[in-house]
Structures are given as C-alpha cells and as structure tokens.
Amino acid sequence: MEHEDPLVTAEWLKENITAPDVRVVDATWFPPFLNMEKTGRQAWSEGHIPGSVYFDIDAIKAGGTDLPHMLPDPVMFSSRVRKLGIGDGNRIIVYDQFKFFASARVWWMLRVMGQKDVKVLDGGLQAWIDAGGELEDLPPVPVERHFTARVRSDLVKDANQVLAASEAGSHTIIDSRSPERFSGDAPEPREGLPSGHIPGSICQPSGELRTPDDRLKSADELRTLFADPMAPTISTCGSGVSAAVTALALARLGNWDVAVYDGSWTEWASDSSRPIAKGAA
C-alpha cells in the first residue's frame, strides 16, 4: 500500500504471480524521437511476462488535444482498464521494457484514478529474465472487471496551477529533462518547441535516479539527490512521462503526494505568453 515501497522485486513477483488478485501490466513505450524499430505493443507481443496485458499510454489518453498521452477522464479510463481485466480489489504490478519510463507513468495514472495497491517492477522485464522468469508471446484473454475511479486531483497539475506555484514559490518544481534542454543550450526533440525551463524550477534528470542496470536507486542514494524530499512538489518533463519517474523516486522516500504536470514542457512552451527561463538551475 502507499506507506510501503512503491516497487517490488522480480523475486517477489515470481512468488506471487499466480495469486488470484495479482494483475501484471506491460507499459512499454518508446519515445517517438528515438525512432525505434518497433512500438511498445510490438515489443510486448514478441515476449512478455505470462498473463500480462498491454497498457498503451498513447491509446488510453484524453481526446480533443494535440498534446501527447494526456490523462483521460475517469469514465474513459475506467472503461479501458476494465477491458484489460484491471479492477477493484486487484494488486497491480506494472513493468516495461525501456528504463521503466512508462511503467512509472501508468503507476501514477492508476493512482490518480484512486488505485492504491499498484507497484512497479524494479528493473522491468530484464530483471524478470535475470531472475529466471519465463516469457510468453500469446496475448492473455482478460476477464472484464469493475473499476471504480476515485480521482485524486491533487496528484495532477495543469499549466495555470504550475504558473501559480512558480510565481508564489509554493512548491518545489522538479524538471526531469536533461540539463542541456533545461538550460536552453540543447534543442527540444519536438520541432519548433523552444527549450529552457519553468522559472523557479530545478533540474534533476530522471536518468540519474536509476542504477546502471535500470533499477531505481536505493532510498539512501536517492536522498542525496533531493534537498527536501518531503516538500510539496510538482514534477515535470517533456510530455509527462519521465516526470512520473521522479514521483516514483520520491514515493520511495516517503512523499506519496508529488503531483505531475501532465502537459509538461510540451504544453508550457507551446504558449508564448508563458515565461521561459534559460541557464542552469
């Protein structure tokens, strides 16, 4: 639950995967600017943890916006996850095959929608393989299950709320992008989008939260990266994915109330009326 570690080990999953209330979710997603040869769904279809369903953040998203994978409304979200066999009373374990970017994002989405018993598989699919876990390539046949959405609006922020927090200094605003994009010295991967950062924010790249084998760093290691882990915090990034990795890391340190700026830099920088700071934090 939410006072425990937000991650589980592959060894734990091996021991508990056959429990009737455990649901395993593959959230593999590759940033489009990497031009990967396959999609997350294709990676899942080629080999996944037995029984795992595929959660596509580019499909389970809000409509009516050109911003990528924005959080959908609770009715749409509930409808989609029910069809995946995810519902009330489940213990949900989310993993992915690419540095747990999107598994952290799906962990956050489920928590926004009121799910408390959801965790991330530390090290993702590779950790499962390293632990001797088997793979399958057959899609499961999920049984639809009722999902009750109880939205936690405190875990998601919009542009106006972030602007207010920036001006008032009421929250620590952590930017998960690279230092070069944060400072404005490197271009954004999205054409036409200026680089820089939200005034008053600090840069803590999400990549620095991982070990070389793509596990989340220990609590002791993470504490050295955050000046005040328990401060009211808003996490942001390029499009709201790696920002969730920061929220996951702070949850490991006991701060379960970190909000994610869903539109993140893609939304912020697309409006020329919003202030953009340059230079190092």
Side-chain angles (χ1 to χ4, degrees), residues 82-139:
R82 281 201 306 266
K83 290 180 172 61
L84 294 178
I86 300 170
D88 300 344
N90 284 155
R91 288 184 290 168
I92 304 169
I93 310 300
V94 191
Y95 77 94
D96 67 41
Q97 302 181 36
F98 186 69
K99 303 179 181 180
F100 65 77
F101 277 169
S103 55
R105 169 77 186 187
V106 172
W107 167 84
W108 170 77
M109 292 174 72
L110 286 162
R111 291 181 60 241
V112 171
M113 295 297 170
Q115 175 61 247
K116 293 183 178 180
D117 206 345
V118 53
K119 297 193 176 188
V120 171
L121 175 61
D122 201 9
L125 185 67
Q126 189 58 52
W128 173 262
I129 294 170
D130 292 345
E134 297 181 352
L135 300 180
E136 66 178 17
D137 57 10
L138 296 175

Side-chain angles (χ1 to χ4, degrees), residues 52-249:
S52 62
V53 294
Y54 182 66
F55 189 115
D56 187 349
I57 64 170
D58 283 333
I60 304 178
K61 66 176 183 178
T65 176
D66 58 358
L67 295 172
H69 42 251
M70 291 287 284
L71 191 72
D73 65 65
V75 174
M76 187 269 209
F77 186 89
S78 299
S79 173
R80 292 296 185 89
V81 298
R82 281 201 306 266
K83 290 180 172 61
L84 294 178
I86 300 170
D88 300 344
N90 284 155
R91 288 184 290 168
I92 304 169
I93 310 300
V94 191
Y95 77 94
D96 67 41
Q97 302 181 36
F98 186 69
K99 303 179 181 180
F100 65 77
F101 277 169
S103 55
R105 169 77 186 187
V106 172
W107 167 84
W108 170 77
M109 292 174 72
L110 286 162
R111 291 181 60 241
V112 171
M113 295 297 170
Q115 175 61 247
K116 293 183 178 180
D117 206 345
V118 53
K119 297 193 176 188
V120 171
L121 175 61
D122 201 9
L125 185 67
Q126 189 58 52
W128 173 262
I129 294 170
D130 292 345
E134 297 181 352
L135 300 180
E136 66 178 17
D137 57 10
L138 296 175
V141 182
V143 176
E144 188 168 328
R145 188 179 180 92
H146 183 70
F147 184 97
T148 304
R150 299 178 178 88
V151 178
R152 282 195 60 183
S153 57
D154 61 306
L155 293 181
V156 56
K157 299 295 184 184
D158 62 24
N160 291 332
Q161 292 170 316
V162 174
L163 178 61
S166 170
E167 293 176 341
S170 59
H171 291 68
T172 300
I173 303 175
I174 299 177
D175 193 318
S176 301
R177 295 174 301 149
S178 70
E180 295 78 16
R181 291 167 65 188
F182 180 90
S183 66
D185 294 327
E188 285 294 304
R190 292 167 182 82
E191 186 175 353
L193 203 66
S195 55
H197 59 268
I198 298 167
S201 60
I202 61 176
C203 182
Q204 177 51 69
S206 61
E208 295 181 0
L209 307 177
R210 305 190 310 268
T211 64
D213 60 349
D214 287 329
R215 298 172 193 255
L216 194 67
K217 287 184 175 179
S218 69
D220 287 342
E221 292 172 307
L222 291 171
R223 285 191 189 94
T224 67
L225 301 177
F226 298 99
D228 185 0
M230 300 306 294
T233 300
I234 299 170
S235 181
T236 182
C237 60
S239 64
V241 179
S242 61
V245 180
T246 298
L248 183 70

